[in-house]
Amino acid sequence: DSGVTQTPKHLITATGQRVTLRCSPRSGDLSVYWYQQSLDQGLQFLIQYYNGEERAKGNILERFSAQQFPDLHSELNLSSLELGDSALYFCASSSGTGGSPLHFGNGTRLTVT
Amino acid sequence: AQSVAQPEDQVNVAEGNPLTVKCTYSVSGNPYLFWYVQYPNRGLQFLLKYITGDNLVKGSYGFEAEFNKSQTSFHLKKPSALVSDSALYFCAVISSGGYNKLIFGAGTRLAVHP
């Protein structure tokens, strides 16, 4: 068990809808990362937060947004969903110090129909 | 821009034989290198990392990796493969100024046959 909790495990929704994915990091970790895993794109870095502030941005669409709250949990909001957004979304956390490993949750599987 | 290449989509090995999963990287500055394993319907699990020091790094489940700066490689190895090692393996890199953001390779599927 990595200590990172993601909810829900599965999400099925229709095109055009909006969903929110939630992540609770490991106790003591200040940094949260979001990744998207799809069959054709592999693991793509979306965004990183450190202690509530955005630290780095990757291939995140404008339709997607995220935030990290004062209690350090994070939410990833996906809106105007398209079929191509169907993927596994992973949250990871780390202490944020240089070279510290990321610890991953089990992911949320999003299916857009 | 930093990147990681895993040249093999799949590696097949017989149980008991040594295994190698290849990884090469491209970064500016000193690399921080990682290996992760993913089992079906699970998140990625950290196996080992290289930050500095000895080029041979030992990790979880009997895995080790060899850092080679001149060849910009970080191959994952295990002396004797188990069927239970069958999984998807990812190499990843952080550049030393990269806020710990991991960039992953495409992954290599390891199949260990009895």
Side-chain angles (χ1 to χ4, degrees), chain A residues 33 35 37 43 45 48 55-57 88 90 94 96-106 109, chain B residues 32 34 36 38 41-46 49 51 88 90 94 98-106:
Chain A
Y33 309 73
Y35 284 82
Q37 185 179 34
L43 266 167
F45 169 73
Q48 177 197 2
R55 181 63 71 89
K57 220 167 186 176
L88 257 175
F90 285 109
S94 80
T97 56
S100 56
L102 273 62
H103 298 272
F104 282 78
N106 285 334
R109 182 171 293 281
Chain B
Y32 293 178
F34 298 77
Y36 282 80
Q38 185 180 25
N41 300 314
R42 299 297 300 274
L44 281 72
Q45 295 179 33
F46 168 70
K49 68 178 181 181
I51 304 298
L88 190 55
F90 290 94
I94 306 171
Y99 292 121
N100 247 36
K101 180 182 76 176
L102 275 179
I103 303 299
F104 286 89

mmCIF file of all heavy atoms in Angstrom, chain A residues 33 35 37 43 45 48 55-57 88 90 94 96-106 109, chain B residues 32 34 36 38 41-46 49 51 88 90 94 98-106:
data_model
loop_
_atom_site.group_PDB
_atom_site.id
_atom_site.type_symbol
_atom_site.label_atom_id
_atom_site.label_comp_id
_atom_site.label_asym_id
_atom_site.label_seq_id
_atom_site.Cartn_x
_atom_site.Cartn_y
_atom_site.Cartn_z
ATOM 1 N N TYR A 33 1.207 15.082 -7.626
ATOM 2 C CA TYR A 33 1.363 15.066 -9.076
ATOM 3 C C TYR A 33 0.160 14.338 -9.684
ATOM 4 O O TYR A 33 -0.344 13.384 -9.107
ATOM 5 C CB TYR A 33 2.617 14.284 -9.486
ATOM 6 C CG TYR A 33 3.887 14.676 -8.779
ATOM 7 C CD1 TYR A 33 4.106 14.324 -7.448
ATOM 8 C CD2 TYR A 33 4.890 15.382 -9.443
ATOM 9 C CE1 TYR A 33 5.279 14.672 -6.801
ATOM 10 C CE2 TYR A 33 6.068 15.722 -8.797
ATOM 11 C CZ TYR A 33 6.252 15.360 -7.482
ATOM 12 O OH TYR A 33 7.423 15.704 -6.840
ATOM 13 N N TYR A 35 -0.982 12.329 -13.261
ATOM 14 C CA TYR A 35 -0.553 11.735 -14.521
ATOM 15 C C TYR A 35 -1.753 11.097 -15.211
ATOM 16 O O TYR A 35 -2.681 10.613 -14.558
ATOM 17 C CB TYR A 35 0.494 10.641 -14.289
ATOM 18 C CG TYR A 35 1.877 11.140 -13.953
ATOM 19 C CD1 TYR A 35 2.212 11.517 -12.661
ATOM 20 C CD2 TYR A 35 2.842 11.234 -14.943
ATOM 21 C CE1 TYR A 35 3.486 11.972 -12.360
ATOM 22 C CE2 TYR A 35 4.129 11.686 -14.655
ATOM 23 C CZ TYR A 35 4.441 12.053 -13.363
ATOM 24 O OH TYR A 35 5.701 12.505 -13.077
ATOM 25 N N GLN A 37 -2.647 8.049 -17.957
ATOM 26 C CA GLN A 37 -2.108 6.890 -18.665
ATOM 27 C C GLN A 37 -3.131 6.385 -19.667
ATOM 28 O O GLN A 37 -4.216 5.939 -19.304
ATOM 29 C CB GLN A 37 -1.725 5.765 -17.701
ATOM 30 C CG GLN A 37 -1.038 4.593 -18.392
ATOM 31 C CD GLN A 37 -0.638 3.493 -17.431
ATOM 32 O OE1 GLN A 37 -1.308 3.229 -16.438
ATOM 33 N NE2 GLN A 37 0.480 2.820 -17.713
ATOM 34 N N LEU A 43 2.368 7.246 -20.169
ATOM 35 C CA LEU A 43 2.189 8.034 -18.946
ATOM 36 C C LEU A 43 2.553 9.483 -19.218
ATOM 37 O O LEU A 43 3.709 9.803 -19.450
ATOM 38 C CB LEU A 43 3.080 7.503 -17.840
ATOM 39 C CG LEU A 43 2.495 6.497 -16.890
ATOM 40 C CD1 LEU A 43 3.588 5.850 -16.087
ATOM 41 C CD2 LEU A 43 1.492 7.154 -15.952
ATOM 42 N N PHE A 45 2.650 13.390 -17.850
ATOM 43 C CA PHE A 45 2.595 14.274 -16.702
ATOM 44 C C PHE A 45 1.611 15.402 -16.981
ATOM 45 O O PHE A 45 1.664 16.047 -18.030
ATOM 46 C CB PHE A 45 3.991 14.836 -16.426
ATOM 47 C CG PHE A 45 4.031 15.961 -15.441
ATOM 48 C CD1 PHE A 45 3.834 15.715 -14.094
ATOM 49 C CD2 PHE A 45 4.258 17.257 -15.859
ATOM 50 C CE1 PHE A 45 3.871 16.751 -13.178
ATOM 51 C CE2 PHE A 45 4.301 18.298 -14.949
ATOM 52 C CZ PHE A 45 4.104 18.044 -13.607
ATOM 53 N N GLN A 48 1.760 19.463 -11.248
ATOM 54 C CA GLN A 48 2.325 19.226 -9.924
ATOM 55 C C GLN A 48 1.988 20.393 -9.008
ATOM 56 O O GLN A 48 2.057 21.555 -9.416
ATOM 57 C CB GLN A 48 3.838 19.073 -9.993
ATOM 58 C CG GLN A 48 4.508 18.896 -8.644
ATOM 59 C CD GLN A 48 5.997 19.149 -8.674
ATOM 60 O OE1 GLN A 48 6.559 19.490 -9.705
ATOM 61 N NE2 GLN A 48 6.651 18.987 -7.537
ATOM 62 N N ARG A 55 3.424 23.961 -9.102
ATOM 63 C CA ARG A 55 4.883 23.947 -9.232
ATOM 64 C C ARG A 55 5.320 23.702 -10.665
ATOM 65 O O ARG A 55 6.301 24.265 -11.123
ATOM 66 C CB ARG A 55 5.442 22.879 -8.303
ATOM 67 C CG ARG A 55 6.939 22.733 -8.289
ATOM 68 C CD ARG A 55 7.664 23.975 -7.791
ATOM 69 N NE ARG A 55 7.508 24.216 -6.379
ATOM 70 C CZ ARG A 55 8.297 23.724 -5.427
ATOM 71 N NH1 ARG A 55 9.288 22.925 -5.751
ATOM 72 N NH2 ARG A 55 8.116 24.034 -4.169
ATOM 73 N N ALA A 56 4.630 22.815 -11.356
ATOM 74 C CA ALA A 56 5.018 22.511 -12.730
ATOM 75 C C ALA A 56 3.787 22.065 -13.508
ATOM 76 O O ALA A 56 2.858 21.499 -12.951
ATOM 77 C CB ALA A 56 6.081 21.416 -12.774
ATOM 78 N N LYS A 57 3.811 22.387 -14.794
ATOM 79 C CA LYS A 57 2.687 22.049 -15.653
ATOM 80 C C LYS A 57 3.196 21.241 -16.834
ATOM 81 O O LYS A 57 4.236 21.567 -17.413
ATOM 82 C CB LYS A 57 2.017 23.330 -16.153
ATOM 83 C CG LYS A 57 0.523 23.297 -16.206
ATOM 84 C CD LYS A 57 -0.028 24.693 -16.393
ATOM 85 C CE LYS A 57 -1.527 24.685 -16.312
ATOM 86 N NZ LYS A 57 -2.098 26.024 -16.388
ATOM 87 N N LEU A 88 -6.630 6.110 -17.587
ATOM 88 C CA LEU A 88 -6.355 5.964 -16.158
ATOM 89 C C LEU A 88 -5.691 7.240 -15.683
ATOM 90 O O LEU A 88 -4.717 7.692 -16.295
ATOM 91 C CB LEU A 88 -5.397 4.807 -15.914
ATOM 92 C CG LEU A 88 -5.922 3.481 -15.402
ATOM 93 C CD1 LEU A 88 -4.811 2.464 -15.352
ATOM 94 C CD2 LEU A 88 -6.569 3.627 -14.037
ATOM 95 N N PHE A 90 -3.683 8.931 -12.636
ATOM 96 C CA PHE A 90 -2.955 8.612 -11.414
ATOM 97 C C PHE A 90 -2.585 9.875 -10.669
ATOM 98 O O PHE A 90 -2.188 10.877 -11.264
ATOM 99 C CB PHE A 90 -1.664 7.855 -11.738
ATOM 100 C CG PHE A 90 -1.865 6.429 -12.132
ATOM 101 C CD1 PHE A 90 -1.659 6.027 -13.443
ATOM 102 C CD2 PHE A 90 -2.241 5.485 -11.200
ATOM 103 C CE1 PHE A 90 -1.846 4.712 -13.817
ATOM 104 C CE2 PHE A 90 -2.427 4.160 -11.563
ATOM 105 C CZ PHE A 90 -2.233 3.777 -12.877
ATOM 106 N N SER A 94 4.972 12.994 -3.086
ATOM 107 C CA SER A 94 6.347 12.851 -2.612
ATOM 108 C C SER A 94 6.611 13.965 -1.609
ATOM 109 O O SER A 94 5.810 14.896 -1.455
ATOM 110 C CB SER A 94 7.345 12.940 -3.769
ATOM 111 O OG SER A 94 7.576 14.282 -4.140
ATOM 112 N N GLY A 96 8.782 16.051 -2.049
ATOM 113 C CA GLY A 96 9.088 17.217 -2.864
ATOM 114 C C GLY A 96 10.554 17.585 -2.881
ATOM 115 O O GLY A 96 10.963 18.455 -3.650
ATOM 116 N N THR A 97 11.354 16.928 -2.043
ATOM 117 C CA THR A 97 12.783 17.234 -2.049
ATOM 118 C C THR A 97 13.455 16.527 -3.210
ATOM 119 O O THR A 97 12.965 15.511 -3.700
ATOM 120 C CB THR A 97 13.437 16.801 -0.726
ATOM 121 O OG1 THR A 97 13.172 15.409 -0.516
ATOM 122 C CG2 THR A 97 12.873 17.596 0.429
ATOM 123 N N GLY A 98 14.585 17.049 -3.629
ATOM 124 C CA GLY A 98 15.249 16.546 -4.821
ATOM 125 C C GLY A 98 15.533 15.059 -4.777
ATOM 126 O O GLY A 98 16.169 14.570 -3.861
ATOM 127 N N GLY A 99 15.036 14.345 -5.764
ATOM 128 C CA GLY A 99 15.311 12.927 -5.871
ATOM 129 C C GLY A 99 14.423 12.024 -5.039
ATOM 130 O O GLY A 99 14.590 10.804 -5.072
ATOM 131 N N SER A 100 13.494 12.570 -4.299
ATOM 132 C CA SER A 100 12.616 11.702 -3.502
ATOM 133 C C SER A 100 11.648 10.989 -4.445
ATOM 134 O O SER A 100 11.110 11.601 -5.371
ATOM 135 C CB SER A 100 11.853 12.500 -2.455
ATOM 136 O OG SER A 100 11.120 13.547 -3.051
ATOM 137 N N PRO A 101 11.435 9.694 -4.246
ATOM 138 C CA PRO A 101 10.577 8.951 -5.175
ATOM 139 C C PRO A 101 9.123 9.375 -5.056
ATOM 140 O O PRO A 101 8.672 9.829 -4.005
ATOM 141 C CB PRO A 101 10.768 7.499 -4.761
ATOM 142 C CG PRO A 101 11.206 7.558 -3.348
ATOM 143 C CD PRO A 101 11.984 8.823 -3.196
ATOM 144 N N LEU A 102 8.401 9.225 -6.154
ATOM 145 C CA LEU A 102 6.966 9.435 -6.146
ATOM 146 C C LEU A 102 6.279 8.145 -5.736
ATOM 147 O O LEU A 102 6.695 7.054 -6.119
ATOM 148 C CB LEU A 102 6.478 9.838 -7.541
ATOM 149 C CG LEU A 102 6.526 11.320 -7.892
ATOM 150 C CD1 LEU A 102 7.937 11.861 -7.861
ATOM 151 C CD2 LEU A 102 5.877 11.561 -9.235
ATOM 152 N N HIS A 103 5.214 8.281 -4.964
ATOM 153 C CA HIS A 103 4.407 7.146 -4.539
ATOM 154 C C HIS A 103 3.028 7.307 -5.173
ATOM 155 O O HIS A 103 2.386 8.338 -4.991
ATOM 156 C CB HIS A 103 4.335 7.085 -3.020
ATOM 157 C CG HIS A 103 5.677 6.901 -2.397
ATOM 158 N ND1 HIS A 103 6.236 5.654 -2.180
ATOM 159 C CD2 HIS A 103 6.599 7.792 -1.978
ATOM 160 C CE1 HIS A 103 7.434 5.805 -1.653
ATOM 161 N NE2 HIS A 103 7.683 7.081 -1.522
ATOM 162 N N PHE A 104 2.608 6.287 -5.904
ATOM 163 C CA PHE A 104 1.413 6.388 -6.721
ATOM 164 C C PHE A 104 0.203 5.743 -6.063
ATOM 165 O O PHE A 104 0.305 4.685 -5.418
ATOM 166 C CB PHE A 104 1.637 5.687 -8.067
ATOM 167 C CG PHE A 104 2.456 6.502 -9.025
ATOM 168 C CD1 PHE A 104 3.837 6.578 -8.893
ATOM 169 C CD2 PHE A 104 1.846 7.202 -10.059
ATOM 170 C CE1 PHE A 104 4.595 7.340 -9.776
ATOM 171 C CE2 PHE A 104 2.595 7.954 -10.949
ATOM 172 C CZ PHE A 104 3.975 8.028 -10.799
ATOM 173 N N GLY A 105 -0.954 6.357 -6.272
ATOM 174 C CA GLY A 105 -2.210 5.713 -5.953
ATOM 175 C C GLY A 105 -2.564 4.678 -7.007
ATOM 176 O O GLY A 105 -1.840 4.513 -7.999
ATOM 177 N N ASN A 106 -3.693 3.996 -6.795
ATOM 178 C CA ASN A 106 -4.101 2.945 -7.723
ATOM 179 C C ASN A 106 -4.868 3.468 -8.932
ATOM 180 O O ASN A 106 -5.253 2.696 -9.803
ATOM 181 C CB ASN A 106 -4.940 1.897 -6.998
ATOM 182 C CG ASN A 106 -4.072 1.004 -6.130
ATOM 183 O OD1 ASN A 106 -2.890 0.821 -6.392
ATOM 184 N ND2 ASN A 106 -4.648 0.467 -5.074
ATOM 185 N N ARG A 109 -10.063 5.042 -13.115
ATOM 186 C CA ARG A 109 -10.294 4.711 -14.519
ATOM 187 C C ARG A 109 -11.508 5.464 -15.003
ATOM 188 O O ARG A 109 -12.613 5.235 -14.527
ATOM 189 C CB ARG A 109 -10.490 3.215 -14.710
ATOM 190 C CG ARG A 109 -10.678 2.846 -16.190
ATOM 191 C CD ARG A 109 -10.666 1.354 -16.441
ATOM 192 N NE ARG A 109 -9.373 0.754 -16.187
ATOM 193 C CZ ARG A 109 -8.342 0.793 -17.021
ATOM 194 N NH1 ARG A 109 -8.447 1.426 -18.182
ATOM 195 N NH2 ARG A 109 -7.210 0.189 -16.719
ATOM 196 N N TYR B 32 18.589 12.281 -12.286
ATOM 197 C CA TYR B 32 18.076 11.429 -11.222
ATOM 198 C C TYR B 32 17.222 10.383 -11.941
ATOM 199 O O TYR B 32 16.272 10.742 -12.644
ATOM 200 C CB TYR B 32 17.207 12.208 -10.249
ATOM 201 C CG TYR B 32 17.905 13.242 -9.416
ATOM 202 C CD1 TYR B 32 17.192 14.034 -8.523
ATOM 203 C CD2 TYR B 32 19.281 13.456 -9.500
ATOM 204 C CE1 TYR B 32 17.810 14.997 -7.735
ATOM 205 C CE2 TYR B 32 19.911 14.413 -8.725
ATOM 206 C CZ TYR B 32 19.162 15.184 -7.844
ATOM 207 O OH TYR B 32 19.779 16.141 -7.081
ATOM 208 N N PHE B 34 15.040 6.584 -12.157
ATOM 209 C CA PHE B 34 14.149 5.736 -11.381
ATOM 210 C C PHE B 34 13.657 4.576 -12.235
ATOM 211 O O PHE B 34 13.530 4.683 -13.447
ATOM 212 C CB PHE B 34 12.922 6.532 -10.912
ATOM 213 C CG PHE B 34 13.234 7.690 -10.014
ATOM 214 C CD1 PHE B 34 13.732 8.873 -10.537
ATOM 215 C CD2 PHE B 34 13.024 7.604 -8.650
ATOM 216 C CE1 PHE B 34 14.023 9.954 -9.707
ATOM 217 C CE2 PHE B 34 13.307 8.672 -7.814
ATOM 218 C CZ PHE B 34 13.808 9.848 -8.346
ATOM 219 N N TYR B 36 10.196 1.959 -12.037
ATOM 220 C CA TYR B 36 8.924 1.634 -11.419
ATOM 221 C C TYR B 36 8.358 0.385 -12.096
ATOM 222 O O TYR B 36 8.634 0.113 -13.266
ATOM 223 C CB TYR B 36 7.921 2.778 -11.603
ATOM 224 C CG TYR B 36 8.126 3.943 -10.678
ATOM 225 C CD1 TYR B 36 9.101 4.897 -10.937
ATOM 226 C CD2 TYR B 36 7.346 4.096 -9.537
ATOM 227 C CE1 TYR B 36 9.296 5.968 -10.085
ATOM 228 C CE2 TYR B 36 7.529 5.163 -8.679
ATOM 229 C CZ TYR B 36 8.509 6.099 -8.961
ATOM 230 O OH TYR B 36 8.696 7.170 -8.110
ATOM 231 N N GLN B 38 4.568 -1.740 -12.730
ATOM 232 C CA GLN B 38 3.108 -1.648 -12.675
ATOM 233 C C GLN B 38 2.496 -3.015 -12.924
ATOM 234 O O GLN B 38 2.697 -3.610 -13.984
ATOM 235 C CB GLN B 38 2.586 -0.645 -13.696
ATOM 236 C CG GLN B 38 1.085 -0.412 -13.595
ATOM 237 C CD GLN B 38 0.574 0.582 -14.615
ATOM 238 O OE1 GLN B 38 1.166 0.771 -15.676
ATOM 239 N NE2 GLN B 38 -0.531 1.236 -14.308
ATOM 240 N N ASN B 41 -4.053 -3.301 -13.225
ATOM 241 C CA ASN B 41 -5.056 -2.585 -12.430
ATOM 242 C C ASN B 41 -4.486 -2.005 -11.132
ATOM 243 O O ASN B 41 -5.217 -1.845 -10.152
ATOM 244 C CB ASN B 41 -6.244 -3.505 -12.105
ATOM 245 C CG ASN B 41 -6.924 -4.000 -13.359
ATOM 246 O OD1 ASN B 41 -7.186 -3.230 -14.286
ATOM 247 N ND2 ASN B 41 -7.159 -5.300 -13.433
ATOM 248 N N ARG B 42 -3.200 -1.701 -11.142
ATOM 249 C CA ARG B 42 -2.576 -1.117 -9.975
ATOM 250 C C ARG B 42 -1.786 0.126 -10.373
ATOM 251 O O ARG B 42 -1.484 0.353 -11.541
ATOM 252 C CB ARG B 42 -1.624 -2.112 -9.299
ATOM 253 C CG ARG B 42 -2.277 -3.380 -8.809
ATOM 254 C CD ARG B 42 -3.295 -3.106 -7.730
ATOM 255 N NE ARG B 42 -2.731 -2.463 -6.561
ATOM 256 C CZ ARG B 42 -2.168 -3.120 -5.553
ATOM 257 N NH1 ARG B 42 -2.087 -4.428 -5.575
ATOM 258 N NH2 ARG B 42 -1.698 -2.458 -4.515
ATOM 259 N N GLY B 43 -1.436 0.910 -9.385
ATOM 260 C CA GLY B 43 -0.549 2.047 -9.621
ATOM 261 C C GLY B 43 0.888 1.590 -9.761
ATOM 262 O O GLY B 43 1.208 0.422 -9.637
ATOM 263 N N LEU B 44 1.755 2.553 -10.021
ATOM 264 C CA LEU B 44 3.166 2.250 -10.176
ATOM 265 C C LEU B 44 3.822 2.098 -8.813
ATOM 266 O O LEU B 44 3.556 2.871 -7.893
ATOM 267 C CB LEU B 44 3.871 3.360 -10.958
ATOM 268 C CG LEU B 44 3.695 3.334 -12.465
ATOM 269 C CD1 LEU B 44 2.288 3.743 -12.878
ATOM 270 C CD2 LEU B 44 4.723 4.237 -13.132
ATOM 271 N N GLN B 45 4.707 1.105 -8.714
ATOM 272 C CA GLN B 45 5.450 0.896 -7.474
ATOM 273 C C GLN B 45 6.917 1.218 -7.701
ATOM 274 O O GLN B 45 7.513 0.769 -8.683
ATOM 275 C CB GLN B 45 5.327 -0.561 -7.030
ATOM 276 C CG GLN B 45 3.931 -1.002 -6.659
ATOM 277 C CD GLN B 45 3.899 -2.454 -6.265
ATOM 278 O OE1 GLN B 45 4.857 -2.988 -5.695
ATOM 279 N NE2 GLN B 45 2.804 -3.133 -6.553
ATOM 280 N N PHE B 46 7.492 1.978 -6.791
ATOM 281 C CA PHE B 46 8.888 2.365 -6.860
ATOM 282 C C PHE B 46 9.783 1.153 -6.636
ATOM 283 O O PHE B 46 9.587 0.382 -5.686
ATOM 284 C CB PHE B 46 9.147 3.430 -5.795
ATOM 285 C CG PHE B 46 10.594 3.740 -5.547
ATOM 286 C CD1 PHE B 46 11.348 4.406 -6.493
ATOM 287 C CD2 PHE B 46 11.188 3.378 -4.354
ATOM 288 C CE1 PHE B 46 12.679 4.709 -6.257
ATOM 289 C CE2 PHE B 46 12.520 3.663 -4.101
ATOM 290 C CZ PHE B 46 13.260 4.333 -5.056
ATOM 291 N N LYS B 49 16.306 3.804 -7.353
ATOM 292 C CA LYS B 49 16.685 5.087 -7.938
ATOM 293 C C LYS B 49 18.190 5.257 -7.918
ATOM 294 O O LYS B 49 18.898 4.654 -7.088
ATOM 295 C CB LYS B 49 16.028 6.245 -7.186
ATOM 296 C CG LYS B 49 16.557 6.431 -5.763
ATOM 297 C CD LYS B 49 15.906 7.636 -5.092
ATOM 298 C CE LYS B 49 16.475 7.824 -3.684
ATOM 299 N NZ LYS B 49 15.842 8.986 -2.990
ATOM 300 N N ILE B 51 20.787 8.512 -7.727
ATOM 301 C CA ILE B 51 20.959 9.961 -7.571
ATOM 302 C C ILE B 51 22.426 10.310 -7.770
ATOM 303 O O ILE B 51 22.786 11.174 -8.569
ATOM 304 C CB ILE B 51 20.489 10.442 -6.179
ATOM 305 C CG1 ILE B 51 19.031 10.030 -5.941
ATOM 306 C CG2 ILE B 51 20.657 11.955 -6.046
ATOM 307 C CD1 ILE B 51 18.056 10.632 -6.896
ATOM 308 N N LEU B 88 4.623 -4.576 -16.143
ATOM 309 C CA LEU B 88 5.044 -3.467 -17.001
ATOM 310 C C LEU B 88 6.059 -2.631 -16.230
ATOM 311 O O LEU B 88 5.802 -2.234 -15.086
ATOM 312 C CB LEU B 88 3.816 -2.633 -17.368
ATOM 313 C CG LEU B 88 3.915 -1.545 -18.425
ATOM 314 C CD1 LEU B 88 4.466 -2.095 -19.726
ATOM 315 C CD2 LEU B 88 2.541 -0.927 -18.643
ATOM 316 N N PHE B 90 8.661 0.705 -15.998
ATOM 317 C CA PHE B 90 8.879 2.051 -16.497
ATOM 318 C C PHE B 90 10.180 2.611 -15.946
ATOM 319 O O PHE B 90 10.432 2.565 -14.748
ATOM 320 C CB PHE B 90 7.746 2.991 -16.060
ATOM 321 C CG PHE B 90 6.434 2.724 -16.726
ATOM 322 C CD1 PHE B 90 5.489 1.911 -16.127
ATOM 323 C CD2 PHE B 90 6.141 3.296 -17.954
ATOM 324 C CE1 PHE B 90 4.265 1.662 -16.737
ATOM 325 C CE2 PHE B 90 4.926 3.066 -18.575
ATOM 326 C CZ PHE B 90 3.990 2.246 -17.960
ATOM 327 N N ILE B 94 14.344 12.611 -13.720
ATOM 328 C CA ILE B 94 14.146 14.002 -13.313
ATOM 329 C C ILE B 94 15.448 14.708 -13.629
ATOM 330 O O ILE B 94 16.508 14.198 -13.298
ATOM 331 C CB ILE B 94 13.926 14.148 -11.801
ATOM 332 C CG1 ILE B 94 12.806 13.266 -11.298
ATOM 333 C CG2 ILE B 94 13.681 15.591 -11.422
ATOM 334 C CD1 ILE B 94 12.726 13.244 -9.789
ATOM 335 N N GLY B 98 14.452 20.004 -11.886
ATOM 336 C CA GLY B 98 13.107 19.796 -12.422
ATOM 337 C C GLY B 98 11.999 19.665 -11.416
ATOM 338 O O GLY B 98 10.977 19.070 -11.717
ATOM 339 N N TYR B 99 12.144 20.179 -10.177
ATOM 340 C CA TYR B 99 11.074 20.142 -9.181
ATOM 341 C C TYR B 99 10.537 18.727 -8.971
ATOM 342 O O TYR B 99 9.366 18.557 -8.690
ATOM 343 C CB TYR B 99 9.919 21.054 -9.581
ATOM 344 C CG TYR B 99 10.259 22.519 -9.548
ATOM 345 C CD1 TYR B 99 10.143 23.294 -10.685
ATOM 346 C CD2 TYR B 99 10.707 23.125 -8.384
ATOM 347 C CE1 TYR B 99 10.451 24.629 -10.669
ATOM 348 C CE2 TYR B 99 11.027 24.468 -8.352
ATOM 349 C CZ TYR B 99 10.895 25.215 -9.498
ATOM 350 O OH TYR B 99 11.204 26.540 -9.478
ATOM 351 N N ASN B 100 11.380 17.743 -9.144
ATOM 352 C CA ASN B 100 10.963 16.361 -8.912
ATOM 353 C C ASN B 100 9.916 15.865 -9.893
ATOM 354 O O ASN B 100 9.248 14.874 -9.632
ATOM 355 C CB ASN B 100 10.434 16.190 -7.487
ATOM 356 C CG ASN B 100 11.342 15.295 -6.666
ATOM 357 O OD1 ASN B 100 12.540 15.329 -6.825
ATOM 358 N ND2 ASN B 100 10.750 14.486 -5.819
ATOM 359 N N LYS B 101 9.725 16.539 -11.005
ATOM 360 C CA LYS B 101 8.762 16.079 -12.003
ATOM 361 C C LYS B 101 9.373 14.905 -12.759
ATOM 362 O O LYS B 101 10.424 15.009 -13.352
ATOM 363 C CB LYS B 101 8.451 17.221 -12.969
ATOM 364 C CG LYS B 101 7.451 16.864 -14.052
ATOM 365 C CD LYS B 101 7.239 18.034 -14.991
ATOM 366 C CE LYS B 101 8.399 18.209 -15.962
ATOM 367 N NZ LYS B 101 8.139 19.292 -16.934
ATOM 368 N N LEU B 102 8.694 13.753 -12.719
ATOM 369 C CA LEU B 102 9.188 12.559 -13.391
ATOM 370 C C LEU B 102 8.711 12.503 -14.830
ATOM 371 O O LEU B 102 7.523 12.676 -15.094
ATOM 372 C CB LEU B 102 8.697 11.304 -12.676
ATOM 373 C CG LEU B 102 9.490 10.774 -11.485
ATOM 374 C CD1 LEU B 102 8.804 9.545 -10.920
ATOM 375 C CD2 LEU B 102 10.913 10.441 -11.871
ATOM 376 N N ILE B 103 9.641 12.235 -15.724
ATOM 377 C CA ILE B 103 9.293 11.973 -17.116
ATOM 378 C C ILE B 103 9.518 10.490 -17.357
ATOM 379 O O ILE B 103 10.610 9.975 -17.125
ATOM 380 C CB ILE B 103 10.167 12.798 -18.074
ATOM 381 C CG1 ILE B 103 10.033 14.288 -17.763
ATOM 382 C CG2 ILE B 103 9.806 12.503 -19.522
ATOM 383 C CD1 ILE B 103 8.621 14.825 -17.914
ATOM 384 N N PHE B 104 8.473 9.815 -17.840
ATOM 385 C CA PHE B 104 8.520 8.359 -17.983
ATOM 386 C C PHE B 104 8.818 7.925 -19.405
ATOM 387 O O PHE B 104 8.428 8.590 -20.371
ATOM 388 C CB PHE B 104 7.182 7.749 -17.565
ATOM 389 C CG PHE B 104 6.953 7.733 -16.084
ATOM 390 C CD1 PHE B 104 6.351 8.812 -15.454
ATOM 391 C CD2 PHE B 104 7.347 6.647 -15.323
ATOM 392 C CE1 PHE B 104 6.146 8.800 -14.082
ATOM 393 C CE2 PHE B 104 7.145 6.622 -13.948
ATOM 394 C CZ PHE B 104 6.546 7.702 -13.325
ATOM 395 N N GLY B 105 9.471 6.779 -19.511
ATOM 396 C CA GLY B 105 9.555 6.100 -20.787
ATOM 397 C C GLY B 105 8.237 5.439 -21.113
ATOM 398 O O GLY B 105 7.294 5.471 -20.316
ATOM 399 N N ALA B 106 8.169 4.831 -22.297
ATOM 400 C CA ALA B 106 6.909 4.250 -22.770
ATOM 401 C C ALA B 106 6.563 2.948 -22.073
ATOM 402 O O ALA B 106 5.438 2.461 -22.188
ATOM 403 C CB ALA B 106 6.985 4.035 -24.275
#
